[in-house]
Amino acid sequence: MTLTNVVSLFVGLLWCHMTMASGTDGQSTSGPAANLWPPQVQVAVWVPFEPTAFQSAGQQYVVYELYLTNFENHTVRVDSIEVIDAIGATAKPAASFEAPQLNRMIHRVGQPIIGDEIGSAEDNSQRDIAAGQTSIVYFLVKSAEHAQIPDRLVHRLVIGDSTVEAAAISTHHDQVPIVGPPLIGGPWIAGSGPGNESHHRRQILMLEGSLHISSRFAIDWIRLKNSEASSGDKQDNRSYFSYDQPVLAVSDAKVVSKIDSIAENIPGHFGKGKLAVAMSYDTMFGNMIVLDLGAGQYAYYGHLKPGSILVKEGDRVKRGQIIARIGDTGSSFEPHLHFEITTSNSALRGEGIPYALDGYTETTKDGAIEKRMHELPLDGTLVTFGNR
């Protein structure tokens, strides 16, 4: 059902609600019957882009957004949400969320997002939806170990005295592309990577009247040595271990577009650096390359070093081919590679989709080295690629 149809349906329901509550002749009704309409809380529930399950560290995940619009004339509060098997093969919910966890998952449309700042787990008002307001629930649902996410999910919401089951979705919307490494060696940290609380996760953008999250599964790859990203002057790009590192084609592909005209920034976080150009749609990614992977999937490489791009539009590249080098251009505070795969060849207009790296090793927090095959590292994972 389209958003237009959802709105039309609820406008009709509200008109019926007002008509029935006041009687067909405009007179008010009294007694118990006056409280029996509407039969459910008037909250529209929908998922604009269905998820695709992917593997990470031996478990399966889905990442997606649930939109809630309050058509009541008063504020409602979401008390809990269960994600359940829509086919009914398993009785136990795939996931259950309530306060305080739910407080950090819900974001009101119009409420600013600054960096990785997320609402407080103690702020129960985050679950309040005012009359006419829309809130977004950001989901990261994880399977039990050695189990799989159900093929279809539906959501059970408790809102005040009402329980609503709505928004049935598939968990296999897209084919997960298996790609090679975008970088050499390591260790590289998957900065602001796939998860539920990085700034990439919540970068919703409206373009031509449509909502998109192209960075849903984006990673800012940063090279580390002894747990540090740099050594020396932090306002000199050459001090960063990521700087000038070669960038690789992740698949045999065609170059859709490139930008190689943006100067480098002076690195520095929290106002200590300086951007070389004003931020705009055309400069956000800095110097960049877009590869057509086929099947309507496109790989984006951002913040590349000026003059380092070795390909041009229309070129065919081979997996593992060096196509550029890491820089510090566009919306960037230090040298790193921004990498994502989306459904559009036009920047920021696609939906970010999960992908699988065909092989890497992960250094866990306790120092163990674990091999990963056909998985996607989550936010903060320390990765080494076996292509030194």
Side-chain angles (χ1 to χ4, degrees), residues 39-54:
Q40 286 187 343
V41 65
Q42 300 297 282
V43 175
V45 184
W46 77 99
V47 174
F49 186 75
E50 291 188 336
T52 297
F54 65 94

Side-chain angles (χ1 to χ4, degrees), residues 233-306:
D233 183 359
K234 293 186 182 300
Q235 290 194 303
D236 185 340
N237 283 311
R238 295 169 296 179
S239 297
Y240 291 80
F241 305 126
S242 300
Y243 186 68
D244 203 35
Q245 291 294 309
V247 173
L248 310 181
V250 296
S251 178
D252 293 354
K254 181 180 179 179
V255 179
V256 174
S257 61
K258 73 164 188 175
I259 295 175
D260 193 8
S261 59
I262 298 175
E264 286 193 309
N265 304 323
I266 297 173
H269 292 262
F270 309 111
K272 295 180 180 178
K274 184 178 180 180
L275 298 179
V277 295
M279 285 303 96
S280 69
Y281 175 82
D282 295 320
T283 64
M284 181 66 65
F285 276 99
N287 296 321
M288 62 180 290
I289 296 172
V290 183
L291 298 183
D292 183 350
L293 306 181
Q297 299 173 343
Y298 301 87
Y300 283 75
Y301 301 77
H303 313 309
L304 302 173
K305 181 181 178 182

Side-chain angles (χ1 to χ4, degrees), residues 120-131:
S120 168
E122 306 306 317
D123 183 5
N124 290 322
S125 70
Q126 287 293 118
R127 292 181 286 116
D128 291 341
I129 309 176

Side-chain angles (χ1 to χ4, degrees), residues 83 178 205 346:
V83 183
I178 299 173
L205 186 65
S346 184

Side-chain angles (χ1 to χ4, degrees), residues 334-357:
E334 67 177 81
H336 70 280
L337 173 67
H338 177 100
F339 181 83
E340 66 186 41
I341 294 180
T342 86
T343 59
S344 175
N345 62 3
S346 184
L348 306 174
R349 284 181 166 83
E351 294 298 331
I353 59 173
Y355 52 94
L357 294 167

Side-chain angles (χ1 to χ4, degrees), residues 179-191 219-224 242 245-250 301 319-320 326 337 339 355-363 369-377 381-388:
V179 298
L183 297 161
I184 294 173
W188 298 89
I189 192 166
I219 294 176
D220 286 341
W221 290 106
I222 299 172
R223 181 77 160 86
L224 299 183
S242 300
Q245 291 294 309
V247 173
L248 310 181
V250 296
Y301 301 77
R319 174 181 152 154
I326 291 179
L337 173 67
F339 181 83
Y355 52 94
L357 294 167
D358 63 356
Y360 60 92
T361 59
E362 174 185 346
T363 303
I369 306 296
E370 299 185 0
K371 291 184 178 180
R372 306 293 185 199
M373 293 289 292
H374 296 177
E375 296 191 347
L376 177 62
T381 302
L382 196 60
V383 168
T384 299
F385 300 110
N387 55 357
R388 297 176 185 275

